[in-house]
Amino acid sequence: MEFLTEKSYVTVADVEKVLGYLKTDTNVTEASIKEAIKSASDEVDLITHTRYWVINDSGTVSTGGTTTLTDTTKSEDWTADKWANCVVWIYGGTGAGQFARIASNTTTVITFHTDDELDTATDNTSKYRILPDVMEVRKYDGDNKRFKYLPLYPIRNLVYLEIDDTEVTPSKVYIYEDVGRIELHSKLSPEYSIFNKNYPQNTTIKWTYGVYPIPSSIKRLTCGIAAIKSLVVQMGGTYRTLSTYSIPHFSGSTGQAYINIKGTIDEMIKETNELIKRVKKYPQVV
């Protein structure tokens, strides 16, 4: 399996297919395409108001716990602090459904931030994935209402909730994932029944959010935006490309590079705009 590094929703090969490139082509460098993908991934987040989960690595726990995770099979792949500030998602086995931000790692051991210790210890049945940071922590004013709308969603997991110095058990909170709403309802007997407004910013909420797996429409949109950015780079170099030339006893033509590239960009912009309309009309959900 090809893991994607950092926040890149598609691979270089994906964008090359959209561009119609062959591995022997050198019009746009791989480094340029990688930069275009990172930028395109950020733009997709802004367009759709969420984040898509990229799997940077995964495995099965060798030795578990609540503060660390050990995977002895990674000794040749991991370097010190390679995953610092990423998030571990326990997605299978003991402790499934938990998330924790990584403070540091060695070649085999991940250590969680002290504020992100797991409630249920993992063991050798636990399966994990490493994601870019998809965890948010914010402070809010209370308003004496029993619900709040979180600005980043879909909500995948309510990690922590504190109201007026009192911790509220996440399992006692109703979560409406797709609209970002959390609600304190008497039926679940939460420790607080309203978001008390005794003083400013007395509510602390920590949650994970985003969409997994990445929908095909989002991959296509990312490819389209990245391809346009790559073609713009290529177009910038066409000043060195002769359209026609003539020397004694011979004349020839290499084609009008700028016009050809611009035509391609125009068509890709049309397709990308249609995709943007589609993903805005049908919001991406978990």
Side-chain angles (χ1 to χ4, degrees):
M1 176 178 181
E2 180 183 4
F3 292 114
L4 306 180
T5 58
E6 301 181 1
K7 193 181 70 172
S8 301
Y9 295 153
V10 293
T11 65
V12 170
D14 293 332
V15 177
E16 287 176 338
K17 288 179 183 178
V18 173
L19 291 168
Y21 279 9
L22 300 174
K23 286 297 182 183
T24 54
D25 289 336
T26 58
N27 292 332
V28 180
T29 66
E30 183 172 317
S32 295
I33 296 177
K34 285 182 176 179
E35 287 301 314
I37 290 171
K38 292 177 187 177
S39 178
S41 300
D42 283 335
E43 290 188 27
V44 167
D45 285 357
L46 293 173
I47 291 167
T48 59
H49 304 287
T50 190
R51 192 167 190 182
Y52 302 88
W53 288 9
V54 173
I55 308 303
N56 284 335
D57 204 346
S58 65
T60 301
V61 175
S62 301
T63 305
T66 58
T67 60
T68 62
L69 174 160
T70 301
D71 186 345
T72 55
T73 68
K74 301 296 185 178
S75 59
E76 295 182 2
D77 301 322
W78 292 358
T79 55
D81 293 337
K82 179 178 183 178
W83 306 121
N85 297 317
C86 289
V87 169
V88 164
W89 169 24
I90 309 299
Y91 74 96
T94 301
Q98 297 183 101
F99 298 82
R101 188 179 280 117
I102 299 171
S104 62
N105 71 273
T106 66
T107 55
T108 57
V109 180
I110 286 173
T111 300
F112 305 134
H113 276 282
T114 54
D115 292 337
D116 290 322
E117 295 178 1
L118 301 178
D119 293 326
T120 301
T122 55
D123 59 25
N124 59 10
T125 70
S126 304
K127 297 183 181 297
Y128 69 90
R129 291 172 173 146
I130 298 176
L131 314 171
D133 190 359
V134 293
M135 188 179 291
E136 188 75 9
V137 183
R138 295 198 184 187
K139 287 186 174 292
Y140 293 95
D141 290 348
D143 52 14
N144 283 347
K145 295 181 179 180
R146 69 182 191 183
F147 62 87
K148 277 196 176 297
Y149 284 93
L150 304 182
L152 300 171
Y153 57 90
I155 300 171
R156 294 304 301 267
N157 181 259
L158 181 62
V159 179
Y160 179 81
L161 174 60
E162 182 183 274
I163 302 173
D164 202 8
D165 294 328
T166 297
E167 187 173 343
V168 177
T169 305
S171 61
K172 296 182 178 181
V173 180
Y174 278 115
I175 301 173
Y176 299 85
E177 295 94 344
D178 296 347
V179 295
R181 174 174 168 141
I182 61 174
E183 183 174 331
L184 305 169
H185 196 287
S186 58
K187 186 176 181 179
L188 295 180
S189 302
E191 288 80 358
Y192 250 96
S193 59
I194 59 172
F195 289 94
N196 193 297
K197 65 174 184 179
N198 280 347
Y199 57 88
Q201 296 192 345
N202 69 336
T203 296
T204 302
I205 306 174
K206 181 189 292 187
W207 74 101
T208 56
Y209 68 96
V211 176
Y212 179 84
I214 303 175
S216 58
S217 59
I218 293 302
K219 289 184 177 181
R220 180 64 186 182
L221 179 57
T222 307
C223 279
I225 295 174
I228 291 169
K229 292 177 180 293
S230 299
L231 288 170
V232 169
V233 172
Q234 183 181 2
M235 182 184 288
T238 59
Y239 69 92
R240 294 175 297 180
T241 303
L242 296 172
S243 294
T244 59
Y245 55 92
S246 179
I247 58 177
H249 311 297
F250 182 80
S251 62
S253 173
T254 61
Q256 300 185 38
Y258 176 88
I259 294 175
N260 292 341
I261 296 171
K262 185 180 184 303
T264 304
I265 290 175
D266 289 344
E267 290 302 313
M268 296 199 71
I269 287 175
K270 289 179 183 178
E271 180 188 356
T272 299
N273 286 337
E274 287 301 315
L275 280 169
I276 290 172
K277 291 178 183 177
R278 191 183 310 165
V279 298
K280 283 186 173 181
K281 185 176 182 180
Y282 303 103
Q284 307 302 310
V285 296
V286 176

